């Protein structure tokens, strides 16, 4: 459960910083705007939606947010739920597939 909490917290951590230099940086200095902007996953997804890139937004949410959460939940189910050996093999295959497709 702690891993899920940390995963959700990671959506709020700044992962990209864009620094503007040159003529654009000088313009930002003159207009009293910050030269650097920082982005976290939720802000990137939000900006993509505002720009109209809904397909890219959906792909980003699927591979970086939804699949890792489903992967951890299926691992929790595999570990905590009383399953028959056949069910364990099936859920283990699902876990491996989600682990391969998630962007962890």
């Amino acid at each position: 459960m702690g891993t899920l909490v940390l995963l959700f917290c990671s959506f709020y951590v700044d992962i990209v910083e864009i620094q503007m230099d040159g003529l654009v940086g000088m313009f930002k200095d003159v207009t009293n705007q910050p030269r650097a902007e920082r982005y976290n996953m939720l802000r990137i997804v939000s900006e993509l939606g505002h720009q109209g890139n809904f397909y890219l937004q959906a792909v980003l949410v699927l591979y970086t947010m939804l699949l890792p959460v489903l992967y951890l939940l299926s691992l929790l189910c595999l570990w905590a739920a009383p399953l028959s050996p056949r069910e364990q093999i099936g859920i283990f295959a699902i876990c491996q597939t989600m682990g391969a497709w998630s962007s962890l």
Side-chain angles (χ1 to χ4, degrees):
M1 290 305 268
T3 306
L4 277 173
V5 171
L6 289 174
L7 180 65
F8 285 119
C9 290
S10 73
F11 299 154
Y12 295 97
V13 174
D14 291 335
I15 58 172
V16 176
E17 179 180 81
I18 298 176
Q19 178 77 28
M20 302 290 181
D21 290 325
L23 189 59
V24 174
M26 288 175 30
F27 175 76
K28 286 189 169 265
D29 288 342
V30 170
T31 58
N32 292 326
Q33 297 178 24
R35 280 187 171 216
E37 284 197 49
R38 303 179 122 206
Y39 294 93
N40 58 30
M41 280 306 298
L42 295 176
R43 185 169 175 202
I44 292 170
V45 168
S46 173
E47 292 290 329
L48 286 173
H50 291 307
Q51 294 175 3
N53 294 325
F54 300 114
Y55 178 73
L56 184 58
Q57 182 184 30
V59 168
L60 188 66
V61 167
L62 176 70
Y63 286 110
T64 63
M65 295 179 173
L66 186 62
L67 280 176
V69 170
L70 291 176
Y71 175 57
L72 291 174
L73 290 175
S74 62
L75 283 175
L76 181 66
C77 176
L78 183 64
W79 182 59
L83 302 169
S84 69
R86 181 181 174 114
E87 292 170 328
Q88 286 178 353
I89 291 171
I91 292 180
F92 181 69
I94 291 170
C95 288
Q96 290 213 338
T97 304
M98 278 197 271
W101 281 97
S102 66
S103 298
L104 283 178

